[in-house]
Amino acid sequence: MTTTPPTQETEPEDELDSALVTARRQLERAATHVDVDPGVVTRLKHPTRVEQVSVPLEREDGSVEVFTGYRAQHDDVRGPYKGGLRFHPEVTAEECTGLSMWMTWKCAVMDLPFGGGKGGIAVDPKSLTDDETERLTRRFAEELRDVVGPTKDVPAPDMGTDAQTMAWFMDAYSMQQGETIPGVVTGKPPVVGGSYGREEAPGRSTAIAAREAVDYYDRDLSETTVAVQGFGSVGANAARLLEDWGATIVAVSDVNGALYDPDGLDTHAVPTHEEEPEAVLEHGAPETISNEDVLELDVDVLIPAAVGNVITADNADAIAADIVVEGANGPTTFAADTILDERGVHVIPDILANAGGVTVSYFEWLQDINRRQWSLERVNEELEEHMLEAWADVRDEVEAKDLTWRDAAYVVALSRIAEAKATRGLWP
Ligand code: NAD
């Protein structure tokens, strides 16, 4: 069944922004800086479709439960929809729609031939056994079979899903189609068509964005202090790379709190969320501080890499870093963004900084279609190249129009989408 896509217009500022409100507001803002047909902006406020499906599951005790799944497809003018599938109790049609719009901007700013999608099932993955998760995933793949595919819509892992989930999804889809089609999803294990370097890619791109920002503002990485909130896939990979490149990582945190050492931590010795969940504090350090304090440390670079909406109007005045690099999606609210801009704090936006994930997903899709695996070295080299190109495109807009990095990134994305829409035309 296809649900009626959410249609309400942008609401007034709600401090903890919903993804849809944020996505529409950012579109409107970007449109004021680009010479774009207003009809294109109107079209981009609405997703192409939001597919809603019922996913029945036989539980281990023989009872049957039905879960609701969604796939929001925002825009595919530049190529197949691309974006994650999450298993989380709070998944809704509206949230998927907003997040699918973010994916449209992220793919466009990276100049990838994809549009934006996002989906998931409203379920607590911790309440499922492995067998139940597998059955639920396979049935979800079947329910979505008509709307996904390597040239239609290519899902990826997200909150509550992982490489194994993608392997089950790919297997179920392939069995029904009668042939092995690895390109239907990305983020798979390398043995079934996944790409080397995919897991580390969002952290790697976040580190590259931080390195470029430090260089742009005439600093030396070897004299740069960094604080990282969240020591999961994004935060730990970014922290470790920046340390390897010479930066001093003075704080890292997980949900329980933060380690702080003004002389620098050995981030390779601190267990990541994957290695040992929520165990950051078990590693010794001169001091431990709260998660909120991490955000307010007097460092050169702050990397929020845990959850959204952590820099708000309440603490934006207390942010002491000169540069904020958004490893997480949406860590800075709209109100906080304005305050940081007025205070001269440079914010490198999520759609650029953590876009390494979707960029290496694109590489994975290319490898699947060509049936040829790339080495890790090639993946990292091409990611570096893509990041530097996107960085330069955004920097040019920052300089030409005197924009914030966020506005400049949206301008780059919207310009590309609008040009593609104008060239393809509207079939009225
Ligand atoms: P993860 O689950 O691997 O790690 C999350 C880390 O944040 C953990 O250390 C956890 O303890 C910590 N954390 C959780 N809640 C917290 C809180 N309230 N305060 C402080 N710390 C908290 O997650 P991840 O994959 O690294 O994702 C982190 C962020 O990056 C999310 O916003 C995600 O959407 C975004 N992101 C992830 C990817 C990816 O492919 N992994 C890609 C792009 C963006």
Side-chain angles (χ1 to χ4, degrees):
M1 150 185 175
T2 299
T3 55
T4 311
T7 52
Q8 89 266 24
E9 297 302 320
T10 303
E11 297 294 333
E13 165 78 1
D14 171 13
E15 189 25 20
L16 294 187
D17 309 330
S18 86
L20 184 58
V21 168
T22 303
R24 285 194 172 135
R25 187 187 286 130
Q26 280 161 344
L27 169 63
E28 281 164 5
R29 238 177 111 102
T32 64
H33 301 293
V34 183
D35 183 18
V36 54
D37 176 353
V40 166
V41 178
T42 303
R43 287 165 70 191
L44 286 170
K45 283 185 183 170
H46 305 276
T48 306
R49 77 170 61 77
V50 183
E51 188 78 3
Q52 179 178 323
V53 295
S54 295
V55 193
L57 171 72
E58 188 177 313
R59 305 298 303 247
E60 302 293 1
D61 65 3
S63 65
V64 172
E65 223 171 308
V66 178
F67 296 93
T68 305
Y70 305 93
R71 184 66 182 172
Q73 298 178 329
H74 174 236
D75 185 81
D76 69 344
V77 72
R78 291 169 44 86
Y81 305 99
K82 186 88 197 74
L85 286 179
R86 50 177 62 175
F87 289 177
H88 190 277
E90 279 152 34
V91 167
T92 62
E94 178 178 322
E95 187 196 49
C96 291
T97 305
L99 294 171
S100 72
M101 289 187 182
W102 267 358
M103 287 306 298
T104 303
W105 320 140
K106 200 181 273 194
C107 291
V109 79
M110 295 306 296
D111 210 6
L112 307 177
F114 289 130
K118 191 70 98 174
I121 300 179
V123 61
D124 177 2
K126 293 196 195 100
S127 71
L128 303 173
T129 64
D130 283 354
D131 283 350
E132 288 172 339
T133 306
E134 177 175 349
R135 290 202 296 275
L136 190 73
T137 304
R138 288 181 179 281
R139 183 62 187 251
F140 191 32
E142 171 57 16
E143 297 301 336
L144 290 185
R145 190 152 63 92
D146 286 345
V147 298
V148 298
T151 56
K152 282 188 193 169
D153 183 351
V154 186
D158 205 278
M159 282 161 70
T161 58
D162 58 16
Q164 178 61 68
T165 325
M166 293 304 110
W168 289 326
F169 193 106
M170 181 277 267
D171 185 66
Y173 179 85
S174 296
M175 287 181 75
Q176 292 295 74
Q177 296 293 106
E179 57 182 316
T180 295
I181 307 176
V184 65
V185 286
T186 58
K188 302 176 296 295
V191 71
V192 288
S195 179
Y196 295 116
R198 167 66 181 81
E199 174 58 33
E200 303 80 27
R204 178 169 282 270
S205 65
T206 301
I208 293 171
R211 187 194 67 203
E212 292 307 305
V214 165
D215 184 57
Y216 185 78
Y217 289 106
D218 290 328
R219 291 143 194 252
D220 198 318
L221 207 54
S222 64
E223 289 161 16
T224 297
T225 54
V226 182
V228 181
Q229 187 192 51
F231 206 61
S233 170
V234 178
N237 280 303
R240 287 174 175 178
L241 268 175
L242 285 167
E243 187 189 342
D244 293 348
W245 294 340
T248 305
I249 317 299
V250 298
V252 301
S253 77
D254 64 17
V255 70
N256 299 317
L259 297 177
Y260 175 60
D261 185 345
D263 294 329
L265 296 157
D266 175 2
T267 57
H268 289 274
V270 181
T272 67
H273 188 66
E274 169 83 10
E275 288 157 5
E276 205 181 326
E278 326 296 16
V280 161
L281 289 187
E282 285 164 32
H283 184 81
E287 240 185 282
T288 58
I289 57 175
S290 75
N291 242 311
E292 293 70 40
D293 291 344
V294 175
L295 299 172
E296 298 174 12
L297 284 173
D298 188 5
V299 288
D300 300 305
V301 177
L302 170 67
I303 304 182
V307 288
N309 292 322
V310 292
I311 304 178
T312 67
D314 291 338
N315 64 357
D317 274 318
I319 302 298
D322 302 314
I323 300 168
V324 174
V325 181
E326 295 186 329
N329 284 323
T332 314
T333 66
F334 186 76
D337 220 19
T338 310
I339 297 170
L340 293 179
D341 182 32
E342 283 165 5
R343 293 187 49 232
V345 179
H346 309 292
V347 180
I348 311 302
D350 44 12
I351 60 165
L352 175 63
N354 70 31
V358 71
T359 304
V360 176
S361 273
Y362 167 54
F363 300 162
E364 179 172 334
W365 181 78
L366 290 176
Q367 293 170 68
D368 290 339
I369 286 171
N370 289 299
R371 293 290 204 268
R372 181 155 191 197
Q373 197 156 45
W374 298 3
S375 67
L376 177 61
E377 290 68 30
R378 177 167 175 197
V379 169
N380 286 343
E381 267 168 37
E382 297 227 10
L383 174 59
E384 172 86 20
E385 217 173 278
H386 264 72
M387 282 304 294
L388 293 184
E389 277 168 21
W391 176 269
D393 294 339
V394 174
R395 182 204 55 212
D396 289 350
E397 291 294 340
V398 167
E399 292 177 353
K401 299 193 173 119
D402 193 22
L403 297 175
T404 64
W405 289 86
R406 190 184 313 282
D407 284 344
Y410 279 90
V411 162
V412 169
L414 179 59
S415 305
R416 287 182 177 146
I417 297 161
E419 200 182 334
K421 284 218 181 279
T423 307
R424 284 180 62 165
L426 171 65
W427 193 350

